[in-house]
Amino acid sequence: MTNESRSQYLIAQISRELGAIVGHDQVSLDKEKRFEQASDWSWMSKYLISKNQELPMADIVVSPKSSEEVSKVVALANEYRMPVIPRGGGSGTQSGTFALYGGIALDLRRLNKIVDVDENSMVVTVEAGLDGSELEKVLNAKGLTMPHYPGSHFFGATIGGCLAARGSGVVSTKYGKAEDLVLQIEAVMANGKIIETLPVPSHASGPGIIQTIVGSEGTLAVFTEITLALVPRPTISKYGVGYFENLSGAASAVEAVLAAGKLPSTLEFLDNKCIRAVEDFANLNLDINAGALLLFGDDGSGSEVEDTVKEIADIIRKIPGCRDVTLAKDIAEAEALLYARRCSLPALARHGTITILEDISVPRPAMAEVVNRIDGLASKYNLEIGTFGHAGDGNLHPTIVLDKDDSAAIARAEEVLKDIFALALEFNGTITGEHGVGSAKLPYLRNQIGEIGMQVHRNLKRVFDPNGILNPNRLGS
């Protein structure tokens, strides 16, 4: 028997055992399904697909429907020393679902139940594979919201996926990132054991297990159930937009707004390239000659919302370099302003056949200089790069658009990414603010956290996953 036939025999044997756990109709060796599980929204995934090249795929796709089934699947994989790659909605951007060593693609989308909505305590408990947008529909009908709206909100982002990558979104300035809303987790460890953290929101019983597993990208444990904090659904939302001669003015406005004690729900920016792309795409009557656009807004349930937005507008008007400030008069105008931010990525993507959406964070006072330096890199490498992002927390999204058939441009893009990550670190920032590390950024992680940080990651991996089966060759590998 050849090594290949021996391997196929073992895969068939493991498939039968997995079928006994989850049902044989929930186990697949089908290439199309394995391909789907490997793909995500990363540029490398899209590039390989556009070139009709294969993605690094798992050998088996398994779709459990409960924590108990996940536990048994992972325990079996651990017994066989077979890699397990957890996957939610596939909306990640860092090639985190590539099955680099084959193994089992653990499709968690059947874990999609809302376990409980406690309207008195303002918490919700959900299974990890639940689509965030579907949860929001149910909560909104009850006058509640789980205030986390990432860019992938309507593209399949699951609750477990948002936590695995430490996601944030357009209202994170006011409400915090996904990790700030988590109260309790249930997760499956690499040996198949289920761990459940304390249900109380405040305790001091040693280092936080939640904080350790959140952001670990499926390398330490697999989320199965999560309890999150809720807030009343805002009944009023008001928005405005400020235009500036340059990004320095927009950055100064952000600092002035926050220094004045204002904490808006929305504080987003677009550079001139994005403004022009959005206007060409959506015809929103934006000021295409402005160097930067700052979208601001607040929400709540009383007249203080309108007062807050007007006060923010007054602060912005006083900033040197402010060209104009406009407040939305009605819901239609407010939606148009929000759409300007939401459509930044598709507007830029029209300029090429491959889009590289990047994600770095820097201290807010450094935003303007960093974006200007990115413009300089765009000129140096002869690439089109537009930058937008979450101004409230210094999270920038430099976005490169190019032709998939231009191999020289692809090579230049790979070089400019190195420089962009180095630039973030130069200003005491990070190589990722909300998208995670995955496979795409793992080569750059050491530059951020150093050898000691890498060793801490490796030590955690050995403790949580001694056999290295959970999402191997990622964090801690």
Side-chain angles (χ1 to χ4, degrees), residues 21-23 26 62-74 106-113 115 127-129 186-188 192 194 222-225:
I21 296 171
V22 303
Q26 299 301 329
V62 182
S63 303
K65 67 175 180 180
S66 67
S67 300
E68 290 71 24
E69 288 188 356
V70 173
S71 170
K72 292 176 181 178
V73 167
V74 174
L106 190 66
D107 183 353
L108 296 167
R109 288 175 295 180
R110 293 180 71 213
L111 275 75
N112 58 8
K113 297 183 184 68
V115 178
E127 292 182 326
E186 175 191 87
V188 173
I194 297 176
V222 180
F223 290 116
T224 51
E225 195 171 287

Side-chain angles (χ1 to χ4, degrees), residues 419-459:
D419 286 359
I420 288 173
F421 301 147
L423 179 62
L425 299 182
E426 179 185 334
F427 284 85
N428 296 314
T430 70
I431 61 172
T432 174
E434 59 173 338
H435 291 174
V437 176
S439 296
K441 288 188 176 177
L442 189 61
Y444 309 101
L445 184 61
R446 184 188 305 274
N447 296 338
Q448 178 179 314
I449 66 175
E451 182 53 40
I452 293 176
M454 294 293 287
Q455 189 61 53
V456 169
H457 279 205
R458 287 192 288 267
N459 290 344

Side-chain angles (χ1 to χ4, degrees), residues 95-159:
S95 307
T97 52
F98 282 5
L100 301 173
Y101 300 104
I104 298 169
L106 190 66
D107 183 353
L108 296 167
R109 288 175 295 180
R110 293 180 71 213
L111 275 75
N112 58 8
K113 297 183 184 68
I114 298 176
V115 178
D116 179 60
V117 180
D118 187 336
E119 297 181 55
N120 293 321
S121 297
M122 300 284 285
V123 299
V124 63
T125 300
V126 303
E127 292 182 326
L130 179 65
D131 185 313
S133 65
E134 294 301 317
L135 170 62
E136 197 61 18
K137 291 176 186 175
V138 173
L139 294 177
N140 288 175
K142 298 177 180 291
L144 300 168
T145 182
M146 195 278 286
H148 177 64
Y149 309 115
S152 54
H153 186 67
F154 295 108
F155 297 96
T158 62
I159 301 301

Side-chain angles (χ1 to χ4, degrees), residues 161-441:
C162 289
L163 293 182
R166 298 180 70 181
S168 63
V170 295
V171 296
S172 294
T173 300
K174 182 174 184 177
Y175 296 106
K177 298 178 65 173
E179 64 200 73
D180 299 313
L181 302 169
V182 184
L183 302 175
Q184 183 182 18
I185 64 168
E186 175 191 87
V188 173
M189 309 296 286
N191 60 5
K193 302 294 185 182
I194 297 176
I195 186 170
E196 187 174 356
T197 61
L198 297 172
V200 293
S202 177
H203 63 84
S205 310
I209 292 174
I210 292 177
Q211 292 82 357
T212 302
I213 298 177
V214 168
S216 64
E217 301 182 26
T219 63
L220 302 182
V222 180
F223 290 116
T224 51
E225 195 171 287
I226 301 155
T227 299
L228 301 143
L230 304 175
V231 298
R233 185 186 184 190
T235 57
I236 299 173
S237 297
K238 298 290 183 181
Y239 296 93
V241 62
Y243 294 99
F244 297 86
E245 296 292 348
N246 51 50
L247 278 159
S248 295
S252 296
V254 171
E255 293 299 294
V257 168
L258 297 176
K262 308 301 177 186
L263 194 61
S265 61
T266 301
L267 207 52
E268 303 282 306
F269 84 94
L270 280 67
D271 71 1
N272 178 260
K273 292 187 182 74
C274 292
I275 295 170
R276 289 178 176 271
V278 168
E279 182 60 25
D280 183 57
F281 176 68
N283 298 309
L284 298 175
N285 199 29
L286 304 179
D287 181 357
I288 62 172
N289 294 314
L293 174 158
L294 184 65
L295 171 66
F296 58 92
D298 199 18
D299 56 26
S301 58
S303 59
E304 72 275 3
V305 174
E306 187 166 356
D307 293 340
T308 296
V309 172
K310 287 180 177 177
E311 289 166 5
I312 292 173
D314 289 340
I315 293 169
I316 291 174
R317 285 190 183 96
K318 297 174 184 175
I319 301 298
C322 178
R323 293 166 63 93
D324 188 30
V325 178
T326 302
L327 296 179
K329 299 183 182 67
D330 51 36
I331 293 176
E333 286 193 9
E335 284 298 320
L337 292 180
L338 288 170
Y339 187 62
R341 169 61 179 85
R342 290 181 190 137
C343 75
S344 297
L345 181 58
L348 286 167
R350 295 168 73 227
H351 295 186
T353 52
I354 286 290
T355 303
I356 304 176
L357 171 64
E358 263 315 327
D359 162 53
I360 60 174
S361 279
V362 297
R364 287 194 309 266
M367 282 193 305
E369 185 171 353
V370 170
V371 176
N372 288 335
R373 293 269 295 274
I374 290 172
D375 284 345
L377 291 172
S379 298
K380 174 183 175 181
Y381 287 98
N382 190 27
L383 293 168
E384 181 177 354
I385 307 177
T387 304
F388 57 92
H390 312 303
D393 56 12
N395 189 194
L396 312 179
H397 294 309
T399 303
I400 309 167
V401 288
L402 36 75
D403 180 357
K404 65 181 177 64
D405 295 320
D406 188 341
S407 58
I410 296 287
R412 294 198 305 275
E414 291 179 329
E415 289 302 312
V416 82
L417 288 176
K418 296 177 185 177
D419 286 359
I420 288 173
F421 301 147
L423 179 62
L425 299 182
E426 179 185 334
F427 284 85
N428 296 314
T430 70
I431 61 172
T432 174
E434 59 173 338
H435 291 174
V437 176
S439 296
K441 288 188 176 177

Side-chain angles (χ1 to χ4, degrees), residues 1-11:
M1 182 182 289
T2 66
N3 287 338
E4 182 177 354
S5 60
R6 187 181 297 113
S7 175
Q8 290 305 312
Y9 175 84
L10 183 60
I11 289 170

